[in-house]
């Protein structure tokens, strides 16, 4: 692989990390009914139980080295869901709380998400510097030839 494709794969992975972490942080308080509760603990007066959207399912980025035959280089990042995706949280005032007053809250650790953002930031900077150094070296090489 070329230096540019390796650095570009790193930039893409860092961008994906930022996107997933930002989504998790933005939706940290998006709760929903516990999956076992069926959506509502009390049926509506018409006999039809209201349905509520499920809790936000947090995302994570898995990153592995990319290898093309005997020439390793670059990285591949994929997005998957966190497992378990929710934790039971007490919120008896929620209309979708079960009989115990519990709702499903996203399994998001804010400290980990901010660490992901910092990791992505420095990874992005490092890969951008590689591209910058490559461009400067190439310019210098062209000046020598001319």
């Amino acid at each position: 692989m070329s230096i540019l494709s390796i650095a570009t794969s790193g930039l893409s992975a860092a961008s994906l990390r930022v996107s997933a972490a930002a989504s998790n942080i933005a939706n940290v308080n998006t709760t929903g009914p516990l999956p076992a509760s069926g959506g509502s603990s009390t049926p509506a007066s018409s006999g039809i139980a209201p349905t509520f959207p499920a809790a936000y399912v947090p995302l994570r980025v898995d990153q592995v080295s990319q290898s093309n035959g005997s020439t390793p280089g670059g990285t591949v990042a994929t997005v998957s869901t966190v497992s378990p995706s929710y934790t039971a949280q007490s919120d008896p005032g929620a209309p979708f709380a079960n009989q115990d007053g519990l709702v499903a809250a996203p399994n998001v650790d804010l400290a980990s998400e901010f660490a992901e953002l910092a990791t992505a930031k420095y990874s992005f900077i490092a890969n951008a510097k590689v591209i910058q150094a490559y461009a400067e070296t190439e310019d210098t090489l062209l000046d020598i030839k001319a």
Side-chain angles (χ1 to χ4, degrees):
M1 287 186 93
S2 74
I3 292 172
L4 286 178
S5 62
I6 292 171
T8 303
S9 71
L11 291 174
S12 295
S15 178
L16 202 55
R17 283 186 181 283
V18 168
S19 180
S23 180
N24 289 345
I25 291 167
N27 291 294
V28 71
N29 292 323
T30 307
T31 59
L34 284 169
S37 69
S40 177
S41 59
T42 58
S45 59
S46 66
I48 300 172
T51 57
F52 297 99
Y56 171 75
V57 178
L59 305 172
R60 75 170 193 220
V61 175
D62 299 311
Q63 190 171 339
V64 294
S65 293
Q66 180 175 318
S67 177
N68 289 341
S70 63
T71 310
T75 186
V76 176
T78 56
V79 177
S80 59
T81 58
V82 172
S83 181
S85 63
Y86 70 91
T87 59
Q89 178 179 317
S90 178
D91 187 2
F96 46 80
N98 68 6
Q99 64 273 13
D100 298 325
L102 298 175
V103 298
N107 188 13
V108 173
D109 178 22
L110 284 176
S112 295
E113 296 304 325
F114 280 102
E116 280 291 318
L117 287 176
T119 301
K121 173 186 174 182
Y122 291 114
S123 174
F124 197 91
I125 290 170
N127 283 292
K129 292 281 187 185
V130 167
I131 292 172
Q132 181 182 12
Y134 179 80
E136 289 172 359
T137 303
E138 192 174 66
D139 285 346
T140 303
L141 224 100
L142 292 175
D143 286 344
I144 293 172
K145 288 183 179 179

